[in-house]
Amino acid sequence: MTCRCLPISSLVVSLCWMSRRFRNSRPSENPLKPRWKPCRQNETAFRKPLVRRRRNGEDTAPIMATVSDLGTQLDHQKVVFDEAAQALQAVLMSLPNIPDDTVPEGRDETGNVEVRRWGAPRDFDIAAQDHVSLGERGGLMDFDVAATMAQSRFVALKGELAQLQRALTQFMLDTHVNEHGYQEVYVPFLVNEEALKGTGQLPKFGDDLFRVDLERPLYLIPTAEVPVTNLYRDRILGMHDFPIKMVCHSPSFRSEAGSYGRDTRGMIRQHQFEKVELVQLVPPEESEAAHEALTRHAEAILQKLELPYRVMNLCGGDLGAASSKTYDLEVWLPGQNQYREISSCSNFKDFQARRLQARYRIETNAKPELVHTLNGSGLAVGRTLVAVLENFQDDQGQISVPDALRPYLGGKTRLLAH
RNA sequence: GGAGAGAUGGCUGAGUGGUCGAAAGCGCUCCCCUGCUAAGGGAGUAUACGUUAAGAGCGUAUCCAGGGUUCGAAUCCCUGUCUCUCCGCCA
């Protein structure tokens, strides 16, 4: 099995704890083995005589005493069982997913393996500008004003840049709906704790979430994955329901706690960004193929936009806790002279489904099985805007519009042409 | 935000402390009957989990959720959630 470097210490602690508490105890002491059955049976057995005596006006005290005692024992057994079950549940919920066999070894992003590469970075006669200097020209991309009304890591877009973002969004949605067969969905952008547990953001990774403090807290979604996947919470699907392929445009909100000093310039790392998300629910035997297909669907956007990119197979140490296997798509950014993540396509297998209780049956009376869930950005719109600006700039700081995007910009071929 | 009414099985809808996993109807499944037929009769029919070769049997849980009262809760009490009606407000 591939090693996950980060959580391994907690894994060891957890396993030792479980083993000590449950495995090594004798069967009769295993708190997870319910022992209230005899109590319950006796209790119900006493009930009818009790009622009969009461009806007949006979003395019920002796029976009552027995029944009462049994009830006390029963309660005690239940408490012991519930505590053990909850403790076990807490441990299980904190464990990360098991990496797929094809996940490479590695402790951080340097261990990721390039799977393929598409397109070639353009040669620039003079140094390429980054999106900030391109965008701030004419005041169409304004970080300062955003910071005055909110704080840093927010942006305001105007004019052609605001339109470009809308055009990109529309283009992505249309492509996934019309060419890749996804159903467009619209969902809440604030969700409760249960929804976040269902997709694995909680309990362990709440630091990166914006919380709205109500009597019952709500959280701004860090990705549409949360509400979209939760559409199938507690559902039992039939084979005729598959494949479930959904696409959703939404804003995403991330506190970016712990990323101080990283990507502080520009739109790469923002508290609020637009994203078009792909989500699939499939039977287990189809998830591997679905993962490849979903990744290709995200890649198709980059190809249509003529943006050079590479596909990375994340190593165990860089894998998200809920994911079993993840391909990152990294787009070429001339302004940074490097590839940067623009999409993350993951196969969660049954990890989320177990938390969501999203299941299916092969036949009407068959036992329900957990589905497999997958998702990927198709794409992160903000970063796509950055990529278009930086890759399609000319020496005047003007942007030529990729062919695929022109219908969405009223036929315009150039942006920022002042 | 104010006032009120609700939440029961696939659906409708009874049930105000024990014999209730829960009447009845509809729907559905199977069987039977029948030339007046867009009909009749009978039987069956909640779900999940565990156990199991098993869709058999048995066990456990579930009448919105969580707590409480009680020997015992669909039923009584508290809290929450959601739905509906009226008013207010609002995109």
Side-chain angles (χ1 to χ4, degrees), chain A residues 82-96:
Chain A
D82 287 347
E83 281 178 357
Q86 276 178 26
L88 177 60
Q89 189 64 20
V91 172
L92 294 178
M93 285 292 283
S94 71
L95 296 178

Side-chain angles (χ1 to χ4, degrees), chain A residues 120 219 342:
Chain A
Y219 299 80
I342 196 167

